[in-house]
């Protein structure tokens, strides 16, 4: 089960005595980054700090702490042959019994992580739209599905936000900075309007449209004929999911398209995040060390 504010509260409600195991420092290669945590009770656990022997050791020690009535402990674990892992790094793990104050800290931490997730807007809730919404809903993204047909915005994951609107292209203009856009409506003319709007968003890490090479050619002709600048066309991904296999894989099932597109979207968002990080000006600490790049 993935950790979210709701799952955290539910787990704590069902388990009166819980240890939070948190990676406080990571040196070298590790399966998860510092700040990652999981919750451990006498019989259950939720979340993950990386799995494998590392996680088994931490769970075992956390339950020893619970049974002994202790409140905290810490572990320094080498991720090498000593424990049967080959990451090669080393991690510090803090174990703390969860109190009311600790609960507030963890909930605030998860809420901040959720709030910082990139937004991805799917325009069209047909077969591919539904499949892609399901694929993206399990990822660290805030997923929206937009359609002009309210009756189609059903049977979607609970954490997917739906929007029934008459003018989907207006949603593009109001979307948060850094949002990605995927266009797969039931109407090619509507696809074109939404895509033209999305391509004006220079901050969008991903603008994709379902379709074919023929559709791309038709969109280009219409787009330029409407007087839009040519340069943004280079950012349009059409067809979606095709970058991993430019020649195609011969499988057009919605779930397959969704799997390829989901990976593609994550790559684009990840690249933009790296570019933004590199573009940030470095700051200099009192010791003279540059940070922030």
């Amino acid at each position: 089960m993935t950790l979210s504010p709701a799952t955290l509260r539910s787990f704590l409600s069902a388990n009166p005595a819980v240890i939070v195991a948190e990676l406080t420092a990571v040196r070298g290669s590790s399966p998860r980054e510092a700040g990652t945590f999981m919750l451990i009770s006498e019989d259950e656990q939720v979340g993950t700090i990386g799995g494998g022997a590392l996680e088994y050791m931490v769970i075992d020690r956390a339950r020893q702490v619970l049974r002994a009535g202790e409140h905290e402990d810490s572990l320094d674990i080498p991720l090498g042959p000593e424990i049967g892992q080959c990451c090669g790094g080393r991690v510090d793990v803090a174990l703390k019994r969860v109190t009311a104050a600790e609960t507030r800290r963890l909930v605030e931490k998860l809420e901040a992580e959720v709030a910082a997730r990139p937004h991805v807007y799917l325009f069209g809730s047909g077969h591919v739209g539904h499949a892609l919404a399901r694929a993206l809903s399990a990822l660290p993204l805030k997923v929206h599905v937009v359609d002009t047909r309210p009756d189609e915005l059903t049977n979607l994951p609970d954490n997917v936000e739906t929007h029934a609107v008459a003018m989907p292209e207006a949603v593009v203009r109001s979307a948060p900075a850094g949002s990605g856009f995927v266009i797969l409506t039931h109407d090619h003319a509507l696809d074109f309007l939404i895509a033209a709007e999305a391509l004006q968003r220079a901050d969008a890490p991903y603008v994709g449209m379902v379709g074919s090479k023929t559709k791309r050619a038709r969109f280009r002709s219409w787009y330029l004929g409407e007087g839009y600048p040519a340069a943004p066309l280079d950012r349009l991904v059409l067809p979606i999911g095709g970058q991993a296999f430019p020649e195609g894989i011969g499988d057009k099932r919605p779930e397959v398209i969704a799997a390829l597109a989901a990976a593609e979207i994550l790559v684009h968002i990840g690249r933009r995040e790296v570019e933004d990080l590199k573009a940030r000006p470095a700051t200099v600490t009192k010791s003279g060390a540059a940070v922030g790049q």
Side-chain angles (χ1 to χ4, degrees):
M1 184 186 296
T2 302
L3 266 176
S4 67
T7 57
L8 185 146
R9 291 189 181 98
S10 176
F11 187 85
L12 294 178
S13 176
N15 297 277
V18 174
I19 292 288
V20 55
E22 185 169 2
L23 300 183
T24 55
V26 172
R27 301 177 294 284
S29 179
S30 166
R32 297 298 301 273
E33 62 279 357
T36 303
F37 69 90
M38 66 184 297
L39 302 177
I40 303 159
S41 71
E42 188 62 48
D43 304 307
E44 300 180 89
Q45 64 268 345
V46 64
T48 176
I49 57 170
L54 162 66
E55 193 159 294
Y56 281 114
M57 288 178 63
V58 170
I59 292 171
D60 184 60
R61 180 59 189 144
R63 287 176 176 156
Q64 291 176 22
V65 171
L66 283 173
R67 289 192 290 270
E70 299 170 356
H71 289 273
E72 60 181 73
D73 196 5
S74 62
L75 298 168
D76 177 5
I77 303 175
L79 304 178
E82 298 95 328
I83 66 167
Q85 291 197 197
C86 56
C87 295
R90 198 176 191 100
V91 298
D92 293 340
V93 186
L95 304 177
K96 293 183 180 179
R97 190 177 289 263
V98 177
T99 62
E102 190 67 10
T103 298
R104 287 193 296 272
R105 181 184 77 87
L106 296 175
V107 169
E108 289 173 1
K109 178 181 174 70
L110 289 175
E111 288 177 341
E113 290 175 358
V114 171
R117 289 177 177 177
H119 292 245
V120 176
Y121 288 79
L122 311 183
F123 292 88
S125 53
H127 295 304
V128 176
H130 270 71
L132 186 53
R134 289 192 295 271
L136 295 176
S137 68
L139 302 176
L141 302 168
K142 177 59 181 174
V143 183
H144 306 255
V145 177
V146 184
D147 206 300
T148 58
R149 307 163 297 173
D151 292 345
E152 297 297 323
L153 294 169
T154 58
N155 299 318
L156 289 162
D158 292 339
N159 62 338
V160 170
E161 189 169 321
T162 60
H163 308 265
V165 297
M167 298 178 64
E169 64 272 21
V171 175
V172 176
R173 294 192 289 270
S174 62
S179 295
F181 305 101
V182 191
I183 300 125
L184 17 75
T185 81
H186 61 291
D187 184 332
H188 283 199
L190 183 57
D191 280 354
F192 289 4
L193 287 174
I194 298 168
E197 195 71 50
L199 288 175
Q200 307 316 302
R201 293 282 304 257
D203 63 309
Y206 184 87
V207 179
M209 189 191 302
V210 73
S212 62
K213 291 181 180 179
T214 299
K215 185 174 181 179
R216 184 182 184 92
R218 288 179 177 173
F219 173 74
R220 178 183 177 83
S221 176
W222 173 87
Y223 180 86
L224 295 176
E226 290 293 312
Y228 290 103
L233 281 170
D234 293 338
R235 296 170 43 231
L236 178 65
V237 179
L238 197 175
I240 59 171
Q243 293 187 340
F245 297 93
E247 302 305 317
I249 61 174
D251 194 327
K252 297 182 179 180
R253 284 175 291 184
E255 292 78 12
V256 175
I257 296 172
L260 295 173
E264 187 175 79
I265 291 164
L266 279 182
V267 168
H268 279 253
I269 289 174
R271 284 176 179 165
R272 177 61 64 86
E273 289 176 344
V274 170
E275 290 170 2
D276 290 345
L277 186 61
K278 290 180 177 179
R280 292 178 188 172
T283 57
V284 179
T285 66
K286 291 181 179 179
S287 65
V291 297
Q293 284 191 321

